């Protein structure tokens, strides 16, 4: 009888200890989740890592390997700076520091040349046989670096963004405008700026971090704010010497959607384009990849996962949730077409990496918006 108060006390102490341990475990779990907040909504990441990653860690442009006689045409397992930038963007959106760090290492060790420009293409073994960079890919990479710096505050990441921007300012400008590329072997530059390369989000981040001045930012955003429109479509490029916009006869929807996203980031209406695409989707139950500019009729009969992905990103940017929800099933229906490659957008036993990475970005953004609306 005399032991009962002691036993009761021990029980109370045990319960108290378990409560403290539970609180500590909950706190540790909360901190871990906050530090490793990853959103991997699909199996596309696993598909890319399993089937479209070279032994050195670079991302293969195609699922099947093949060679090309034209060095300007991407072949097989060659790796692009475009792919690296998209992969880095996905890692940052997912707050996935581990994958970002691996990509950052590849950037430093393989993609950055001794002259501090980014090779636009590497051989599968990581060697560079090109002498140029690609402005749009550079902007995408720099933007991802700056977003990563904002997240994790690592100075080496910011320093790399600054180093790459310095090269762009010194070598990829003509008459005060950035241009598509510079050939570092022959010291020649493009004479025009493709409007898809006017990456407003990246340029704004560069200005915010002091890598370019306000005048340089305004000079390029004004190109979009004053862009002509033929009633449906945007021009292809701005010719910096003549100060003229140039249209292509055949319209690539990927280009149109990327320009639309950048315009929407500036708060400008893209209603002519979105209205046309909504009408086409309803009428045709698909979005063909290319159109004839004059007839407004499709010039091809194929669909592209990247087109749907970019349309979802545009819908998200203009906060058109209904359109995003309409588009999403079209994109996802193209995934897992080949049951041997779960998570991949594979057709005729092959796949283009761009057609996987853009849908991946779209899915991350779509799922994030869906969780915020719950």
């Amino acid at each position: 009888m005399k032991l009962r108060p002691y036993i009761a006390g021990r029980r109370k102490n045990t319960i108290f200890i378990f409560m403290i341990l539970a609180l500590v475990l909950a706190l540790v779990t909360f901190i871990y989740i906050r530090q490793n907040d990853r959103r991997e909504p699909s199996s596309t990441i696993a598909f890319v890592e399993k089937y479209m990653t070279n032994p050195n860690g670079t991302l293969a442009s195609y699922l099947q390997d093949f060679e090309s006689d034209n060095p300007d045409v991407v072949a097989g397992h060659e790796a692009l700076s475009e792919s690296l930038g998209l992969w880095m963007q996905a890692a940052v959106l997912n707050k996935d520091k581990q994958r970002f760090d691996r990509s950052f290492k590849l950037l430093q060790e393989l993609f950055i040349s001794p002259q501090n420009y980014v090779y636009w293409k590497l051989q599968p073994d990581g060697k560079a046989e090109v002498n140029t960079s690609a402005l749009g890919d550079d902007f995408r990479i720099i933007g991802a670096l700056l977003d990563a710096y904002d997240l994790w505050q690592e100075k080496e990441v910011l320093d790399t963004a600054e180093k790459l921007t310095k090269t762009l300012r010194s070598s990829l400008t003509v008459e005060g405008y950035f241009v598509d590329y510079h050939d570092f072997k022959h010291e020649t530059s493009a004479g025009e700026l493709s409007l898809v390369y006017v990456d407003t989000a990246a340029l704004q981040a560069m200005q915010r971090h002091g890598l370019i001045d306000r005048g340089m930012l305004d000079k390029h955003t004004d190109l979009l704010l004053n862009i002509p429109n033929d009633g449906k479509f945007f021009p292809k490029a701005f010719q910096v010497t003549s100060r003229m916009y140039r249209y292509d006869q055949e319209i690539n929807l990927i280009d149109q959607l990327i320009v639309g996203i950048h315009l929407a980031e500036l708060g400008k209406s893209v209603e002519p384009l979105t209205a046309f695409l909504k009408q086409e989707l309803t009428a045709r139950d698909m979005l063909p990849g290319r159109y004839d500019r004059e007839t407004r009729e499709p010039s091809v009969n194929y669909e592209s996962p990247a087109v749907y992905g970019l349309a979802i990103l545009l819908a998200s940017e203009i906060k058109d949730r209904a359109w995003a929800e309409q588009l999403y099933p079209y994109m996802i229906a193209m995934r897992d077409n080949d049951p041997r490659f779960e998570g991949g957008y594979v057709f005729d036993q092959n796949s283009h990496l761009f057609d996987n990475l853009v849908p991946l970005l779209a899915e991350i953004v779509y799922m994030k918006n869906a969780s915020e609306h719950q």
Side-chain angles (χ1 to χ4, degrees), residues 200-371:
T200 50
L203 286 163
Q204 288 169 340
M206 291 158 71
Q207 190 270 331
R208 190 169 62 250
H209 287 86
L211 307 188
I212 61 173
D213 60 30
R214 183 74 196 192
M216 180 66 88
L217 172 63
D218 291 343
K219 192 179 187 72
H220 288 82
T221 55
D222 284 349
L223 288 181
L224 295 186
L225 293 173
N226 298 314
I227 194 172
N229 187 294
D230 69 356
K232 296 287 187 298
F233 301 124
F234 303 118
K236 170 71 172 181
F238 177 74
Q239 298 170 315
V240 298
T241 52
S242 66
R243 301 293 197 271
M244 299 288 291
Y245 291 90
R246 177 179 65 80
Y247 276 94
D248 275 350
Q249 181 57 40
E250 187 178 47
I251 298 297
N252 187 330
L253 278 194
I254 286 176
D255 294 343
Q256 295 293 306
L257 287 161
I258 292 174
V259 173
I261 290 168
H262 296 331
L263 278 166
E265 289 169 345
L266 294 174
K268 185 168 182 176
S269 172
V270 289
E271 176 65 22
L273 176 64
T274 56
F276 173 74
L277 294 179
K278 290 177 182 180
Q279 178 183 337
E280 287 291 290
L281 187 61
T282 299
R284 303 180 189 279
D285 195 31
M286 66 175 291
L287 287 178
R290 294 175 180 268
Y291 282 80
D292 183 278
R293 183 188 166 208
E294 292 183 1
T295 66
R296 315 297 206 206
E297 292 294 320
S299 57
V300 298
N301 60 6
Y302 62 76
E303 299 173 276
S304 163
V307 166
Y308 292 117
L310 289 167
I312 291 168
L313 291 172
L314 177 56
S316 300
E317 187 64 40
I318 62 177
K319 296 179 171 53
D320 191 338
R321 182 68 187 168
W323 190 33
E325 290 178 348
Q326 181 187 12
L327 289 161
Y328 189 75
Y330 284 89
M331 183 183 80
I332 291 300
M334 301 185 75
R335 191 175 66 187
D336 299 325
N337 180 66
D338 189 325
R340 294 173 300 173
F341 301 103
E342 181 182 357
Y345 293 81
V346 180
F347 308 93
D348 298 325
Q349 303 181 53
N350 205 1
S351 184
H352 192 303
L353 188 60
F354 188 79
D355 276 330
N356 289 274
L357 297 185
V358 171
L360 173 63
L361 287 174
E363 190 172 3
I364 293 170
V365 171
Y366 180 85
M367 291 297 183
K368 179 181 178 181
N369 290 339
S371 66

Side-chain angles (χ1 to χ4, degrees), residues 54 56 58 109-111 119 122-128:
N54 293 319
N56 59 11
T58 59
E109 294 183 353
L110 297 179
F111 276 93
Y119 298 117
L122 298 178
Q123 296 300 304
D125 62 4
K127 295 180 180 178

